[in-house]
Amino acid sequence: MTKTIEDLRYQLEEWLAQGFTSPEDRANYQALKEQYEDETLDYSFSKQEIVGQLEVIITSRENDFPDLDEVTRDGYLELVSQLEELDEDTANYYRKQLG
């Protein structure tokens, strides 16, 4: 039986809320997310993941944001580039956070 779009979205939301307990859980989430995105063209889960990663960089005390070391800065800008493909306005917001 094929899962409905609503079922896919619910399962994705549940996995994000509960977290992943194993690499297999993460892989299953990724596969389901790709299926959902292919069927709906709704990239909100990918956007949410990227924004979450950017927020961790910004709020992590070890990073001294916005004065990031070169490696962290490159990773941050790579995430912003990925986000730009999904939401240009939000990507511009995070790009401006670097100053």
Side-chain angles (χ1 to χ4, degrees):
M1 179 173 130
T2 303
K3 289 186 174 191
T4 66
I5 297 301
E6 294 81 23
D7 291 340
L8 292 175
R9 183 170 186 82
Y10 177 78
Q11 182 62 49
L12 290 167
E13 289 171 351
E14 284 296 305
W15 266 329
L16 283 178
Q18 294 175 7
F20 307 106
T21 57
S22 69
E24 293 80 21
D25 284 350
R26 177 76 175 150
N28 290 336
Y29 167 81
Q30 284 298 117
L32 191 63
K33 182 184 76 166
E34 288 173 17
Q35 178 186 351
Y36 175 81
E37 290 177 347
D38 288 345
E39 291 181 20
T40 65
L41 301 179
D42 173 3
Y43 300 98
S44 60
F45 288 101
S46 289
K47 179 181 167 184
Q48 184 177 351
E49 287 176 23
I50 295 168
V51 166
Q53 291 174 49
L54 290 168
E55 287 296 322
V56 166
I57 292 171
I58 289 171
T59 60
S60 178
R61 293 178 192 266
E62 295 83 27
N63 288 334
D64 191 28
F65 192 83
D67 299 319
L68 300 172
D69 63 71
E70 186 176 338
V71 172
T72 305
R73 184 180 181 83
D74 290 347
Y76 182 92
L77 291 173
E78 173 61 30
L79 289 169
V80 171
S81 294
Q82 292 173 22
L83 182 58
E84 188 168 34
E85 295 174 16
L86 304 173
D87 184 336
E88 190 173 337
D89 291 336
T90 304
N92 287 334
Y93 167 81
Y94 282 99
R95 191 174 286 113
K96 288 177 185 175
Q97 296 305 303
L98 279 177

